[in-house]
Amino acid sequence: MNIFEQHESEVRGYCRSFPAVFSTAKGAWMTDTTGRRYLDFFSGAGVLNYGHNPDRLKQALLGYLMRDGITHTLDMYSEAKATFIEQFQQVILEPRGLEYKLQFPGPTGTNAVEAALKLARKVTGREQVVGFTNAFHGMTLGSLSVTGNGFKRAGAGVPLTNAASMPFDGYLGADTDTLDYFEAMLLDNGSGMELPAAVIIETVQAEGGVNVASHTWLQRLREMTQRHGIVLIVDDIQVGCGRTGHFFSFEEAGIAPDIVTLSKSLSGYGLPMALVLIKPELDQWAPGEHNGTFRGHCPAFVTATAALSFWRDDRLQQSVKRKGEQVQEKLERMLRKHEVKGNVRGLGLIYGVEFADTELAGRVSQACFERGLIVETAGIDDQVLKLLPSLTIKEDELAHGLDIIDQSLQACVKQCVLEAA
Ligand SMILES: *Cc1c(COP(=O)(O)O)cnc(C)c1O
């Protein structure tokens, strides 16, 4: 029994799938204490979009620490925060024609979601929030109430209230526009549904199995929520910060949400940081009405500012597009080659393969780990192999990882045939 099994709580999760003890990491590679190297197609569930310990962020962080830059200020003003706000305006918001106030909640994603839900309820005076099937918004009670996963919901131990679940795009098959149902519920006074304060949505459901909402569906949702006076919250915690190829996942659909939550890759270095973007007219918080001790961790502001340098031109965006096409093509070719039934979906550099055989994704993930590749599963039955390489991964590294998936799939299919015989 190792020290973790002996002393760490049973709640441990990912370490059960990937039981190495990691010690160092650089770029797309992680190294364990035995010196074994693993290629990372997981990227901390979207925390490490720029890879492990990216040089320009590390230099900025080291410089800040070496000159005794202030680390903690609660939410008092700091030079590091001023620089981040100024650069975020200049590099991200202004060029996209977006106008938002910035709220720094506690440093986790779920804290940003809680803040967004509270604020939507406060400004509308209403209680209900609509989430979607297979959504994932975090583990605190408000976030859980709009999360789909029954196992995680049950962990709450209390009723999850003031929330309703609507079918996500494609939930009822390709021929049904699920917003017809939502709209009918809103319009009919006999539907039994109250007018919600807010709708919260991931444009690409990541934990939920890489489900991609179409642009037309998102545009219709924006139009509907506007017409009914419902606050539209886009949870861009996992698929924002460039994961879909643009800084925000909703850019290509051409919509502007009322509230946006960001976290995971925002600091760009794996330092905890979260941000709530609020349309100015909705910024009706009273001072300190939502607070937290670690709001605005200065070293995270420093690396987050350095990370914005990736967004000063469209080089990263172009390379994500190129690499994404490579991933999609290779995954589709793999399924054909091994005659495996499945469905490849995604965009940017988030891709999922949903296998008809629901056990296959888990087996392939394990086989990949044995061959030195970290790639996780997603979806309610862990039926989707979820690829999340860093955006900055080199093309030959990407090809190497895809080859490992190919070999692992082949081995698993062979094993299945043997077991069936
Ligand atoms: C990870 C995630 C969260 C929760 O973030 P934590 O930092 O784990 O609290 C919320 N929403 C989405 C879409 C996420 O992927």
Side-chain angles (χ1 to χ4, degrees):
M1 201 185 274
N2 65 36
I3 188 137
F4 307 103
E5 287 163 17
Q6 200 177 352
H7 296 292
E8 195 183 349
S9 161
E10 291 304 317
V11 79
R12 2 184 254 290
Y14 289 117
C15 53
R16 297 174 194 266
S17 309
F18 310 115
V21 181
F22 295 102
S23 66
T24 60
K26 189 71 187 170
W29 295 89
M30 299 159 73
T31 306
D32 73 12
T33 48
T34 70
R36 180 154 194 224
R37 277 161 44 95
Y38 301 82
L39 187 58
D40 188 4
F41 268 25
F42 177 33
S43 303
V47 169
L48 301 158
N49 281 2
Y50 313 108
H52 292 268
N53 299 323
D55 283 330
R56 52 178 117 155
L57 278 62
K58 186 168 80 178
Q59 287 311 326
L61 178 62
L62 287 174
Y64 188 76
L65 296 177
M66 291 312 286
R67 65 187 160 86
D68 279 334
I70 191 161
T71 294
H72 183 80
T73 60
L74 285 156
D75 73 343
M76 286 185 273
Y77 297 148
S78 68
E79 188 181 25
K81 175 154 58 173
T83 310
F84 173 76
I85 294 175
E86 183 190 278
Q87 296 288 307
F88 192 77
Q89 288 292 338
Q90 200 188 93
V91 180
I92 303 297
L93 295 182
E94 280 167 18
R96 290 165 179 78
L98 295 170
E99 205 186 330
Y100 291 114
K101 297 287 282 292
L102 279 61
Q103 178 187 359
F104 300 102
T108 63
T110 199
N111 212 302
V113 171
E114 295 288 348
L117 299 181
K118 278 191 194 176
L119 185 60
R121 288 180 169 125
K122 176 172 171 152
V123 299
T124 60
R126 300 191 291 260
E127 291 169 0
Q128 290 286 320
V129 175
V130 164
F132 289 91
T133 49
N134 289 306
F136 180 83
H137 296 293
M139 288 292 103
T140 48
L141 292 184
S143 307
L144 258 187
S145 72
V146 284
T147 288
N149 188 305
F151 169 69
K152 305 266 196 240
R153 291 177 67 87
V158 292
L160 296 170
T161 54
N162 303 313
S165 187
M166 286 287 150
F168 190 75
D169 190 16
Y171 189 72
L172 299 171
D175 298 332
T176 305
D177 184 341
T178 55
L179 289 178
D180 288 343
Y181 173 72
F182 186 9
E183 174 109 82
M185 296 289 282
L186 282 175
L187 291 173
D188 179 16
N189 201 26
S191 70
M193 190 175 90
E194 285 163 35
L195 183 65
V199 166
I200 182 164
I201 180 128
E202 302 151 272
T203 65
V204 181
Q205 295 183 322
E207 299 299 307
V210 192
N211 306 312
V212 184
S214 74
H215 291 166
T216 51
W217 193 87
L218 289 170
Q219 287 155 3
R220 183 175 174 197
L221 182 66
R222 174 66 285 194
E223 186 278 318
M224 268 173 59
T225 47
Q226 214 140 28
R227 187 154 35 84
H228 291 277
I230 302 167
V231 175
L232 179 65
I233 304 168
V234 169
D235 180 350
D236 237 4
I237 289 171
Q238 186 155 163
V239 297
C241 301
R243 184 46 65 182
T244 63
H246 296 266
F247 186 83
F248 293 113
S249 72
F250 51 82
E251 278 177 48
E252 259 200 317
I255 63 166
D258 300 309
I259 300 181
V260 181
T261 55
L262 290 171
S263 182
K264 293 201 166 87
S265 265
L266 183 61
S267 82
Y269 204 75
L271 298 178
M273 177 176 180
L275 174 59
V276 188
L277 301 175
I278 304 166
K279 281 249 172 101
E281 63 273 22
L282 298 186
D283 184 29
Q284 296 171 24
W285 286 116
E289 196 175 2
H290 181 87
N291 64 13
T293 306
F294 290 103
R295 268 170 303 157
H297 178 54
C298 292
F301 282 131
V302 169
T303 56
T305 303
L308 294 177
S309 65
F310 285 105
W311 298 100
R312 288 184 179 278
D313 57 42
D314 68 354
R315 272 182 303 177
L316 181 66
Q317 192 174 315
Q318 293 303 333
S319 90
V320 167
K321 188 159 182 277
R322 237 184 5 258
K323 287 182 269 198
E325 284 162 4
Q326 182 186 346
V327 171
Q328 173 155 12
E329 185 199 299
K330 284 211 180 167
L331 289 173
E332 282 169 354
R333 202 187 314 153
M334 253 178 242
L335 293 186
R336 284 196 302 273
K337 184 167 108 187
H338 302 301
E339 296 178 9
V340 173
K341 279 207 197 70
N343 168 13
V344 175
R345 52 189 186 233
L347 78 167
L349 267 176
I350 173 165
Y351 271 87
V353 189
E354 177 158 26
F355 294 105
D357 172 355
T358 55
E359 291 197 350
L360 200 49
R363 295 172 89 147
V364 172
S365 167
Q366 276 312 293
C368 286
F369 180 68
E370 286 157 22
R371 290 168 175 76
L373 177 74
I374 307 229
V375 57
E376 73 156 339
T377 59
I380 192 65
D381 296 314
D382 288 319
Q383 78 280 22
V384 179
L385 190 71
K386 179 182 163 207
L387 285 71
L388 220 64
S390 70
L391 308 182
T392 53
I393 193 169
K394 298 191 178 84
E395 302 210 8
D396 59 331
E397 294 169 332
L398 189 62
H400 176 59
L402 289 163
D403 283 344
I404 295 179
I405 295 177
D406 191 351
Q407 292 154 20
S408 303
L409 181 60
Q410 182 171 23
C412 291
V413 168
K414 224 185 232 167
Q415 186 64 28
C416 287
V417 171
L418 281 176
E419 281 169 20

